[in-house]
Amino acid sequence: VQLVESGGGLVQAGGSLRLSCATSGRTFSTYAMGWFRQAPGKEREFVAAIRRSGITTYYADSVKDRFTISRDNAKSMVYLQMNSLQPEDTAVYYCAADYPHTLRGRSWVPGYWGQGTQVTVSS
């Protein structure tokens, strides 16, 4: 599966952005999908994940209640709505995917990755 992120950019603190991830292939609905991020000088970290049905979701504590992950299986798209952005949310955001049995919570290590999109939040 190929993953292509879009929607990153520069936003002021308190603002919002929506990231999108387009996927290739006809089997999108079989994959668990998610978002990770990597800030300068830090390791890549889990942000959010969503199961095939779109009902079960997982979030990092740092983004819970501010970010919302969703998916549209008909369009083979996954989204990350980010509200109340803070400077510490500045990072490259990566879309990720893998088979559902690999997703067991916030410790997920998916096998498929996009190239990333930069999100910069100014104070």
Side-chain angles (χ1 to χ4, degrees):
V1 61
Q2 292 185 327
L3 310 172
V4 179
E5 304 94 336
S6 62
L10 174 64
V11 64
Q12 290 188 331
S16 298
L17 281 175
R18 188 175 84 149
L19 304 182
S20 299
C21 176
T23 68
S24 63
R26 295 173 290 178
T27 58
F28 172 79
S29 62
T30 67
Y31 291 100
M33 302 295 300
W35 291 92
F36 288 69
R37 67 186 182 186
Q38 186 168 18
K42 295 187 176 181
E43 293 185 353
R44 190 175 300 187
E45 66 175 0
F46 172 85
V47 174
I50 187 167
R51 290 201 175 274
R52 292 181 297 174
S53 66
I55 296 173
T56 301
T57 56
Y58 306 86
Y59 293 95
D61 288 342
S62 59
V63 307
K64 196 172 184 180
D65 298 328
R66 298 189 298 125
F67 292 10
T68 302
I69 189 171
S70 61
R71 65 190 294 162
D72 186 335
N73 287 340
K75 296 181 179 180
S76 298
M77 297 287 293
V78 64
Y79 306 99
L80 185 68
Q81 177 66 43
M82 305 186 294
N83 298 328
S84 301
L85 283 161
Q86 299 301 317
E88 52 266 35
D89 294 315
T90 295
V92 177
Y93 283 72
Y94 297 90
C95 181
D98 212 327
Y99 291 107
H101 72 275
T102 67
L103 174 55
R104 300 188 178 186
R106 293 178 287 184
S107 60
W108 187 38
V109 182
Y112 302 96
W113 297 88
Q115 293 299 308
T117 185
Q118 177 70 46
V119 171
T120 304
V121 185
S122 63
S123 58

